[in-house]
Structures are given as C-alpha cells and as structure tokens.
Amino acid sequence: MSYKIKSRIWIESKNKVFLGEGRVQLLKAIDETGSLSKAAKSLNISYKKAWGLIDSVNKSAKQPVTINSIGGKGGGGAELTDYGKTLVNAFDNINKNCWEFLDTQLEKIKDL
C-alpha cells in the first residue's frame, strides 16, 4: 500500500495569517507580471481579494513587501521589494524543508 502525507503551512503574526501558499503565489505572480491586476487574473481571484491579501501582508511585514504605483492613462503597476523577494524565497525554503521532514516521518509507518 502506498501512503502520502499532506500538509499546508502558513506563518501567522498576531493570530492572523502573514504568509501562506496562496499569498506567496500572489507575490510571485506580481513579480512575474508587474501588476496586481494581472497577477489576480492569472490566479483567477478578484482584484479586491488580491489587494486585501497584499495589504494584509504589507501591514504584517517588518518592511514593505510590494511597491505599488497608481494606475491611470499610462497604467499602474506593482513590484516586489528586495525584502518581499527575500520573504518569498524564505517561505519556499521553509516549505521545502517541511516536506522533506514529513517524507522522512512517513517512512515510520510504511512498514507497519
């Protein structure tokens, strides 16, 4: 019989989600598209929801995670700060390490 272990991690600040897989995906999409609106569309979420998630991350972070420019005739944009890119990389690393640990723990029941 084959077993799989499932888990999702997130980081909280003051009992509220600071970073999780969805927020990190949104941050990566902003980095790729240069736009909160385009990032939201690429993830099939509303602009309002995306804006709320990014606002929440920025309010919980020690430093700004994104830099936003207001739209208009030339269009606006959004980009990750260096701190934001560092947070995304740190979360990905934590997540990878978590999965590696869980895979080793799963070995404990495979032969039972």
Side-chain angles (χ1 to χ4, degrees):
M1 181 172 275
S2 176
Y3 295 105
K4 278 179 128 178
I5 195 164
K6 300 278 190 169
S7 178
R8 286 187 72 146
I9 64 162
W10 59 91
I11 299 168
E12 294 184 351
S13 174
K14 298 178 183 171
N15 293 325
K16 292 185 180 182
V17 175
F18 167 51
L19 276 182
E21 288 183 35
R23 291 167 198 237
V24 168
Q25 285 178 347
L26 179 57
L27 290 169
K28 287 177 179 179
I30 289 169
D31 197 36
E32 290 170 14
T33 64
S35 161
L36 180 58
S37 178
K38 288 177 185 174
K41 284 179 187 173
S42 75
L43 297 173
N44 294 316
I45 61 174
S46 72
Y47 176 84
K48 182 179 180 180
K49 179 173 176 95
W51 189 90
L53 291 171
I54 294 303
D55 187 53
S56 173
V57 170
N58 274 318
K59 285 180 178 174
S60 297
K62 293 179 183 178
Q63 300 176 36
V65 176
T66 60
I67 298 170
N68 305 311
S69 56
I70 297 173
K73 188 174 182 180
E79 62 184 278
L80 297 188
T81 62
D82 288 340
Y83 178 72
K85 291 176 184 178
T86 301
L87 275 179
V88 167
N89 289 333
F91 182 87
D92 282 345
N93 203 17
I94 291 167
N95 206 21
K96 178 181 168 275
N97 290 339
C98 180
W99 279 104
E100 288 173 0
F101 172 75
L102 292 174
D103 286 342
T104 63
Q105 298 305 298
L106 185 59
E107 294 296 321
K108 294 178 180 179
I109 66 163
K110 280 189 174 179
D111 295 328
L112 295 179

